[in-house]
Amino acid sequence: MSEGTAVTSGDAIENLLSEARTFAPPAEFVAQANFSDEAIFAEAAADPEAWWARWAARLDWMTPFETVLDNSDAPFAKWFTGGELNVSQNCLDRHVAKGHGSRVAYHWEGEDGERRSYTYDDLLDLTERFANVLLGLGVQKGDRVAIFMPMIIELPAAMLACTRIGAAHSIVFGGFASSALAERINDADCKVVITADGGWRRGKQVRLKELTDEALLSTPTIEHCVVVQRLGDQLDHPLGWVEGRDKWWHELMADAAPHADPTPMASEDLLYLLYTSGTTAKPKGLMHTTGGYLTGIVASMEMVFDAKPLTDVYWCAADIGWVTGHSYIVYGPLALGMTSVLYEGAPDWPAQDRNWEIVERYGVTILYTAPTAIRAFIKWGDHLPAAHDLSSLRLLGSVGEPINPEAWMWYHRVIGGERCPIVDTWWQTETGHHMIAPMPGITHTKPGSATHAIPGIDAAVVDEAGEPVPNGHGGLLVIRQPWPGMARGIWGEGGRERYQHTYWSKWPHLYFAGDGAKLDSDGYLWLLGRVDDVMNVSGHRISTMEVESALVEHESVAEAAVVGMLDELTGEAIAAFVTLNDEGSDGRDEAAVRAALLEHVAERIGKFARPRLLVFTQGLPKTRSGKIMRRLLKDIAEGRAIGDTQTLQDAAVVEQLQATVNALRA
Ligand code: WTA
């Protein structure tokens, strides 16, 4: 484990593991469940390739695959080689062909109250036209298209249009700063960027086009910028426009031909890039490919969400800009032909019962959200969900961070009315789909435990030597066998080595997830948070290094150390310890410098990366060999008695820091 270890503190682990409550799947749920026989665990484990091949057969293949798994170039596994398919065809055309064109794909709701339902026919039409638009802009198979959009219907349509012509999308979450967008565009050499004139978030306009314009000052590969008119007349700020480069979506669409045949894609062709934070300052463009990814998503929708396309109204309340949205707002539900809710805005706008209003309005049956949101709902009060009819709900999901037992119990009782199984789903941008989660018709759940690997996935908790730990012990989470949705590598020069080094170098043949975990005495798996320098703030992944390098970039900063500290609401919050450089340190206005630094981080990365706690210090606690003692900083940030300081170079620094933090908190 590295110095920056972000494992839940000892007390919290003990509390978690003394959790003895178990919940059997309700009989009514079992009676209608897609899976209710425990035997499938053994069946999948006995022959994982046959298991996944059966799921792959649920897709429409233009050319059948020849080989299920080719792992001869491990860890770069290839799934379903020889096969050809198209993701947009699987998500749209095949449902329309079966007569489901008039089924609603998305009930879209804007934050401002605008509402519209889009059928599979509608979405196919948008997709085909936009595929022709992309072709007209010179986008070809294999090209990368950047997407920086709000949660509007044009976003899934743009993604599907890329897949239709074989271009890979690279979506950048709308909360990122312009320099983060530029960095991602440049890393992938994107040819086109798609954005909007803005979006709504907590009643304010998100200036997506303005940020895009700033980014495009330093992105030589971008030839065209397509702009969706989301705000139009309501726009409250000037809209920049570069003639020749910028084009309105609606004007291009008005001229676009209505039909575009889906391009056959090899199973291992690139579907998309998605950048995520690792342990370095440079985000990694993870590569997801076509056949295996879609197979894994479809399987997990049916196994973990117990998806029933004909009757469910499914709502994943995440943002499409993160992997949860890619897999479980767009590709998963569409591949099954489900009806979903797509909501643009914040859960507390205009009032804190917005989510419950939406559940009631559409009769949502499956709700998938994050512990950080659940903790906010708890804080806002039980009277809000109580004022709405939530009886349509039959299954609840959680994702993004460990869910604490109390939040789990509240979700179960207040939202689920004690009748809905909860699926706590552990997975990552790298894994593509659910890996550890209950099977809702089979698994007896325990509040706070993600329970077991899903059928077909071989997960283990191992010690430093890579040996599985016995029940009752903790260690590191690994995956032992390839799985269909796994990332195929990291984009760009040196990406192959980087992928190998990041995930597969600790032990040969084991995928190291970066998470600590523990098996309880019944063999249930409990996730304990990251063991590397990755923080998890409100379910957003961000590396300590990214924030540190943004800070030290600022002219007044000499040195910075960043750690994640436990936070009741957001899981973790960012704490930064900063040494200012000498110039003008006398009589400096600390409040002004603090504000400037926070703003600088917001400009470099995004507002969500601004430290909650920013402490100025004369020095940082270091070991005698000069390494910053991050664990100690974490203790200080969390206000804990600090551990062993024997190896410290200068113990006085620690006392001074504790005093400063206490003063800041007072
Ligand atoms: C954490 C999000 C505990 C974990 C899908 C992982 C979780 C990281 C859970 C991936 C969960 C995600 N319980 N921890 N149910 N789900 N995590 O790539 O630390 O944004 O490594 O993918 O989130 O975050 P990412």
Side-chain angles (χ1 to χ4, degrees):
M1 261 181 226
S2 76
E3 263 294 302
T5 179
V7 186
T8 318
S9 71
D11 287 354
I13 293 175
E14 283 320 309
N15 292 342
L16 273 180
L17 298 172
S18 60
E19 180 59 60
R21 291 170 283 203
T22 58
F23 292 84
E28 252 179 60
F29 189 93
V30 177
Q32 58 81 64
N34 289 345
F35 295 95
S36 53
D37 183 354
E38 210 177 356
I40 67 159
F41 282 94
E43 183 196 327
D47 192 348
E49 286 185 32
W51 171 255
W52 291 118
R54 280 227 307 277
W55 284 106
R58 298 281 305 277
L59 304 178
D60 266 13
W61 294 84
M62 293 161 163
T63 312
F65 54 88
E66 287 157 9
T67 311
V68 176
L69 170 64
D70 170 4
N71 205 23
S72 56
D73 186 27
F76 300 90
K78 295 185 188 68
W79 285 87
F80 309 120
T81 46
E84 288 185 313
L85 74 167
N86 181 279
V87 170
S88 77
Q89 188 274 336
N90 271 278
C91 289
L92 302 169
D93 308 56
R94 65 166 169 160
H95 308 312
V96 171
K98 281 184 197 140
H100 300 315
S102 59
R103 190 188 292 169
V104 171
Y106 291 110
H107 293 294
W108 176 76
E109 181 153 325
E111 194 191 68
D112 56 351
E114 203 182 328
R115 279 176 233 154
R116 199 170 155 185
S117 295
Y118 296 87
T119 63
Y120 276 87
D121 278 337
D122 296 336
L123 193 55
L124 177 58
D125 179 58
L126 284 171
T127 300
E128 288 192 88
R129 283 178 198 273
F130 197 64
N132 284 326
V133 167
L134 289 173
L135 289 171
L137 295 175
V139 177
Q140 293 173 355
K141 187 172 178 198
D143 285 345
R144 277 82 52 211
V145 173
I147 298 183
F148 190 56
M149 287 172 85
M151 294 272 286
I152 52 179
I153 195 67
E154 288 83 356
L155 173 50
M159 296 163 76
L160 291 162
C162 286
T163 73
R164 199 157 187 91
I165 64 169
H169 53 73
S170 169
I171 303 184
V172 179
F173 169 61
F176 274 110
S178 61
S179 53
L181 173 61
E183 187 183 5
R184 286 158 178 75
I185 288 176
N186 288 333
D187 189 75
D189 293 334
C190 296
K191 212 170 185 176
V192 167
V193 57
I194 309 164
T195 186
D197 59 356
W200 290 108
R201 186 80 196 173
R202 288 209 175 81
K204 292 211 182 68
Q205 298 192 351
V206 188
R207 301 181 170 207
L208 294 167
K209 176 64 165 66
E210 194 174 285
L211 291 165
T212 306
D213 286 342
E214 280 167 34
L216 297 194
L217 294 173
S218 59
T219 55
T221 55
I222 291 289
E223 293 167 15
H224 304 281
C225 172
V226 179
V227 188
V228 178
Q229 196 169 50
R230 162 75 186 106
L231 299 175
D233 296 346
Q234 302 179 80
L235 204 70
D236 65 6
H237 54 279
L239 190 78
W241 202 260
V242 175
E243 282 309 325
R245 182 197 73 187
D246 296 353
K247 304 195 165 60
W248 284 113
W249 168 290
H250 58 273
E251 289 178 2
L252 294 168
M253 290 291 268
D255 295 337
H259 293 295
D261 285 337
T263 303
M265 301 269 284
S267 180
E268 283 299 337
D269 276 348
L270 186 64
L271 177 62
Y272 67 76
L273 297 179
L274 183 55
Y275 285 82
T276 190
S277 294
T279 53
T280 65
K282 189 173 148 48
K284 301 181 292 252
L286 287 160
M287 295 158 62
H288 280 291
T289 60
T290 303
Y293 174 78
L294 202 60
T295 299
I297 301 288
V298 163
S300 58
M301 285 292 304
E302 293 217 347
M303 291 197 282
V304 179
F305 288 146
D306 192 53
K308 306 237 179 355
L310 287 175
T311 47
D312 274 320
V313 178
Y314 163 90
W315 184 21
C316 168
D319 192 288
I320 293 178
W322 305 105
V323 74
T324 303
H326 281 61
S327 296
Y328 296 111
I329 297 179
V330 181
Y331 293 121
L334 293 180
L336 288 186
M338 311 259 309
T339 295
S340 303
V341 170
L342 182 66
Y343 171 54
E344 177 188 35
D348 56 351
W349 195 267
Q352 290 172 332
D353 65 345
R354 183 65 184 263
N355 273 30
W356 316 125
E357 192 187 301
I358 291 175
V359 169
E360 180 172 10
R361 174 157 36 249
Y362 302 103
V364 171
T365 57
I366 302 175
L367 175 66
Y368 193 32
T369 188
T372 188
I374 297 168
R375 291 190 295 265
F377 299 143
I378 296 174
K379 199 174 113 196
W380 296 340
D382 292 10
H383 62 288
L384 297 169
H388 294 276
D389 178 4
L390 307 182
S391 61
S392 56
L393 288 169
R394 67 179 189 93
L395 181 84
L396 301 173
S398 172
V399 61
E401 50 178 319
I403 179 166
N404 45 306
E406 291 330 304
W408 195 104
M409 286 303 299
W410 184 88
Y411 202 25
H412 170 71
R413 189 169 49 79
V414 178
I415 305 305
E418 299 184 351
R419 85 190 161 266
C420 305
I422 294 182
V423 290
D424 172 11
T425 61
W426 179 91
W427 60 294
Q428 308 176 295
T429 307
E430 291 85 345
T431 71
H433 50 76
H434 300 153
M435 300 294 278
I436 298 169
M439 293 283 285
I442 301 173
T443 311
H444 293 229
T445 51
K446 297 189 187 190
S449 167
T451 72
H452 306 289
I454 63 172
I457 298 296
D458 181 9
V461 180
V462 301
D463 60 19
E464 277 295 326
E467 293 300 324
V469 301
N471 287 354
H473 289 262
L476 302 170
L477 178 63
V478 297
I479 312 295
R480 297 188 286 202
Q481 292 293 326
W483 64 100
M486 65 198 294
R488 302 303 201 262
I490 296 173
W491 181 262
E493 211 179 309
R496 208 181 141 88
E497 293 71 31
R498 209 172 155 207
Y499 177 74
Q500 205 146 12
H501 174 78
T502 310
Y503 306 106
W504 302 88
S505 62
K506 201 167 166 68
W507 306 283
H509 314 307
L510 293 180
Y511 169 81
F512 173 42
D515 281 60
K518 184 151 180 165
L519 294 176
D520 71 12
S521 51
D522 300 325
Y524 276 62
L525 211 142
W526 299 74
L527 276 312
L528 302 177
R530 304 285 305 195
V531 296
D532 52 15
D533 297 331
V534 175
M535 299 176 288
N536 189 330
V537 181
S538 297
H540 298 337
R541 247 171 97 161
I542 176 141
S543 98
T544 56
M545 287 288 299
E546 259 174 298
V547 182
E548 277 171 17
S549 63
L551 285 168
V552 294
E553 226 182 54
H554 194 271
E555 54 192 10
S556 51
V557 174
E559 196 174 29
V562 167
V563 295
M565 57 178 182
L566 291 179
D567 183 275
E568 260 183 33
L569 213 56
T570 56
E572 270 189 292
I574 302 176
F577 296 84
V578 173
T579 320
L580 297 175
N581 54 28
D582 288 340
E583 293 118 62
S585 62
D586 297 333
R588 175 160 25 204
D589 179 353
E590 277 203 357
V593 180
R594 173 175 290 117
L597 290 182
L598 294 179
E599 182 53 28
H600 180 71
V601 173
E603 267 173 26
R604 295 300 302 169
I605 307 173
K607 284 191 185 140
F608 65 92
R610 277 184 305 205
R612 166 85 51 86
L613 179 72
L614 197 149
V615 184
F616 293 120
T617 170
Q618 299 291 326
L620 292 165
K622 292 184 181 165
T623 61
R624 285 175 214 283
S625 61
K627 261 189 95 175
I628 296 173
M629 299 186 72
R630 293 162 185 287
R631 209 180 22 184
L632 217 144
L633 289 175
K634 204 174 160 65
D635 286 343
I636 294 171
E638 292 174 358
R640 237 195 329 274
I642 54 171
D644 183 15
T645 54
Q646 269 189 16
T647 49
L648 260 189
Q649 211 181 34
D650 179 5
V653 168
V654 173
E655 280 164 31
Q656 182 236 322
L657 270 177
Q658 283 182 307
T660 316
V661 170
N662 289 341
L664 274 176
R665 288 246 165 79

